[in-house]
Amino acid sequence: MEEAENDLFYSQMNTSIGPITIAASNQGVCALYFGESEEVINGMKPWIQKYKIGDVFQEDTDILEVAKKQLHEYFDGDRTEFDMPLDLYGTSFQRSTWKALQQIPYGETRSYKQIADEIGSPRAVRAIGSANNKNPISIIVPCHRVIGSNGKMVGYGSGIDKKEYLLRLEGALQPVSS
């Protein structure tokens, strides 16, 4: 079977934080969202149309297998960096923001202001928040590591509870005492 350059493959995996759906083009992982695959793919339809992605297949590929393996290692506490091909779709500003997010070390956080300064747009704090919100590959492009300048948990599309969970997993937040 010959595949179009932009076909989309997806797979669901279960994690300690709930189901995650991962999607990949032939070039790399292009989406990772919390939720059941049917719900996620239906929600991605406008994005799929906008970027002229070809056919959508529920099928594991080598790229998806690598992504799932690395994510399981991450959730088990055995992986602190991801090493897989990515295929990011977004504006040049969004892609520069997402590249900056990938430079935040495991177990550390940055403020929206710090990211704006890092990409050379110190007045673009709100635009950084918007780019963060549109990050299609959460966890791997670690938007959960961006917090408010005052240290507060703000702005995570999948819910602050998931953001806090991921930051606690990485040791960036103290565990909740019982």
Side-chain angles (χ1 to χ4, degrees):
M1 170 177 103
E2 186 163 317
E3 299 162 348
E5 188 174 58
N6 285 329
D7 284 344
L8 185 73
F9 303 89
Y10 69 96
S11 183
Q12 180 180 311
M13 64 183 282
N14 293 317
T15 70
S16 54
I17 199 169
I20 289 177
T21 298
I22 311 162
S25 69
N26 293 323
Q27 288 74 44
V29 173
C30 58
L32 185 153
Y33 290 103
F34 292 97
E36 303 279 341
S37 59
E38 185 175 319
E39 171 189 335
V40 169
I41 295 302
N42 282 335
M44 287 176 61
K45 284 182 180 174
W47 178 84
I48 292 167
Q49 291 171 341
K50 178 178 180 179
Y51 291 107
K52 297 175 177 53
I53 304 293
D55 291 327
V56 178
F57 301 99
Q58 184 174 7
E59 170 183 322
D60 280 332
T61 63
D62 291 344
I63 293 170
L64 288 174
E65 288 302 317
V66 167
K68 291 193 303 188
K69 179 181 184 296
Q70 289 187 22
L71 283 161
H72 279 299
E73 292 168 351
Y74 169 81
F75 281 108
D76 289 344
D78 298 327
R79 177 170 289 277
T80 60
E81 293 180 10
F82 294 100
D83 179 24
M84 67 188 75
L86 301 180
D87 188 17
L88 292 166
Y89 292 88
T91 66
S92 59
F93 181 83
Q94 289 169 335
R95 288 192 313 270
S96 69
T97 299
W98 301 333
K99 185 175 181 179
L101 299 180
Q102 291 176 280
Q103 304 309 308
I104 304 171
Y106 179 92
E108 294 184 22
T109 60
R110 299 289 185 273
S111 70
Y112 293 92
K113 173 78 171 116
Q114 287 173 308
I115 298 298
D117 289 342
E118 185 174 322
I119 68 166
S121 298
R123 303 180 95 199
V125 175
R126 287 183 188 211
I128 295 295
S130 178
N132 226 27
N133 181 267
K134 289 180 175 53
N135 171 18
I137 311 177
S138 64
I139 302 175
I140 296 168
V141 176
C143 53
H144 62 278
R145 295 181 187 156
V146 183
I147 61 174
S149 294
N150 59 3
K152 295 213 178 203
M153 297 295 114
V154 293
Y156 195 63
S158 297
I160 297 298
D161 59 326
K162 286 184 173 56
K163 181 174 192 159
E164 288 180 344
Y165 179 93
L166 295 169
L167 290 173
R168 280 192 175 75
L169 175 72
E170 295 182 9
L173 291 179
Q174 295 302 313
V176 177
S177 56
S178 48

